[in-house]
Amino acid sequence: MNYNIPKNLLTTNNAKTVKGEKKGYTTYIMYLAPYTQNSKGINLCSHASKGCAKACLFGSGAARFPKVQQGKINKTEYFLANRELFLKQLDFEISMIVAKHENQGTKFAIRLNGTSDITFEKFKIRDGKNIFELHPTAQFYDYTKNHFRFKKVQPSNYHLTFSLSEDNKEISFDLLSKGVNVAMVFGVKKVEELPTSYNGYEVINGDESDLRFLDGKNVIVGLKYKLMTGKGTKGSNKDNVDNNDFIINVSEIDEVVKAA
Ligand code: SF4
């Protein structure tokens, strides 16, 4: 497996950062190649469903461009080939980010699993500590489909939101009943079309920003489906929605309370 050591593992050049900046945060995100998209075929998303892997691998927005995909794959090959060095680099980058923002007096957040679902809490990097424990003043957050992560107490500076798939609805509502926030993709074109509640839980507009650690407790994080368009996209937008069973079809659900 060939790879180059990238200059940065964490980047700020994405739409989510722009949204975060409106709330005064710089968002650093690490994008690896999802699922089994690496030369070893190792699954970096242990609980991915067919639907989410399909939507994710295909890419949406800027991520569908080959250069962007190649950058993700390169970082993934690096992670798989030399995890120790990879984690050391990550640790160093975060130290620099923390120092920079402390000097500036500005706010920031870090998302390690931009397009992966790795249990970073299990990797001890130095002094027997994981990345979250090494940087206690940094705010980390992620989405995950791995419900086992909620069975353990997570570091206090790491916010996790569970994510609905076509095969984990029961688990999603069980976690909601236990106070966890769950992200759900609704088949709507505009955020204004998101319901205000679903199955008795408040639905918030998750597209307003990606800063999940600012969300209220025990809510559904409503996301509109990022339609796949552009070169290389097969099928119409409608087909893309219909072919992904993890997307909640608002028109077929009685419990949905439409926003006024
Ligand atoms: S688990 Fe998340 S990152 Fe992995 S394939 Fe599914 S949607 Fe993509």
Side-chain angles (χ1 to χ4, degrees):
M1 96 178 43
N2 293 325
Y3 65 91
N4 301 313
I5 294 183
K7 196 168 161 229
N8 296 302
L9 293 170
L10 292 156
T11 57
T12 56
N13 184 20
N14 60 76
K16 293 184 171 67
T17 292
V18 175
K19 287 180 181 175
E21 270 165 9
K22 287 187 187 154
K23 291 185 178 271
Y25 284 83
T26 303
T27 313
Y28 296 84
I29 305 185
M30 183 161 69
Y31 289 105
L32 300 179
Y35 201 45
T36 56
Q37 197 182 23
N38 56 74
S39 64
K40 288 186 171 175
I42 292 173
N43 189 355
L44 295 189
C45 304
S46 60
H47 289 68
S49 66
K50 282 186 184 163
C52 82
K54 179 182 154 194
C56 207
L57 287 172
F58 201 80
S60 63
R64 68 183 183 272
F65 296 115
K67 203 174 161 198
V68 178
Q69 298 288 11
Q70 201 45 51
K72 287 180 178 183
I73 292 169
N74 181 60
K75 286 178 191 172
T76 307
E77 298 293 338
Y78 177 27
F79 173 75
L80 294 173
N82 196 340
R83 186 163 309 164
E84 197 180 333
L85 189 62
F86 180 100
L87 291 172
K88 272 188 186 163
Q89 179 173 345
L90 185 64
D91 179 25
F92 178 75
E93 277 183 36
I94 294 175
S95 298
M96 293 294 104
I97 290 167
V98 170
K100 176 182 159 185
H101 287 276
E102 274 178 6
N103 277 340
Q104 292 176 344
T106 49
K107 293 187 282 190
F108 69 98
I110 300 172
R111 180 175 163 189
L112 298 179
N113 283 312
T115 37
S116 54
D117 197 357
I118 299 168
T119 51
F120 280 99
E121 58 271 31
K122 75 181 181 192
F123 300 124
K124 304 291 181 195
I125 301 174
R126 58 184 163 91
D127 304 329
K129 294 180 178 174
N130 63 31
I131 198 76
F132 311 107
E133 292 161 339
L134 286 170
H135 303 284
T137 59
Q139 175 67 59
F140 295 85
Y141 74 101
D142 267 321
Y143 300 81
T144 184
K145 290 184 190 290
N146 181 354
H147 58 282
F148 290 114
R149 298 177 83 186
F150 295 92
K151 290 193 188 288
K152 294 190 177 149
V153 178
Q154 292 294 334
S156 58
N157 57 336
Y158 188 31
H159 184 280
L160 272 179
T161 301
F162 190 67
S163 178
L164 176 82
S165 286
E166 74 277 14
D167 61 358
N168 67 13
K169 195 167 182 184
E170 208 173 307
I171 293 169
S172 293
F173 281 97
D174 181 53
L175 286 172
L176 271 167
S177 76
K178 291 172 177 154
V180 171
N181 288 356
V182 178
M184 299 189 182
V185 179
F186 291 85
V188 297
K189 288 183 184 162
K190 301 178 195 160
V191 288
E192 294 78 23
E193 294 167 1
L194 283 171
T196 54
S197 72
Y198 177 44
N199 276 11
Y201 291 94
E202 182 191 356
V203 178
I204 62 162
N205 174 6
D207 282 308
E208 192 187 350
S209 88
D210 197 48
L211 306 171
R212 297 279 68 87
F213 52 93
L214 297 180
D215 293 342
K217 285 202 188 327
N218 207 203
V219 294
I220 291 173
V221 179
L223 303 166
K224 71 177 162 59
Y225 183 53
K226 312 290 183 298
L227 292 172
M228 293 180 278
T229 57
K231 217 176 170 183
T233 305
K234 287 181 191 145
S236 66
N237 287 343
K238 185 176 176 301
D239 290 340
N240 284 325
V241 171
D242 291 348
N243 289 339
N244 286 292
D245 296 337
F246 69 99
I247 298 166
I248 298 168
N249 189 340
V250 177
S251 63
E252 287 177 2
I253 295 167
D254 295 337
E255 303 95 317
V256 161
V257 178
K258 294 264 190 179

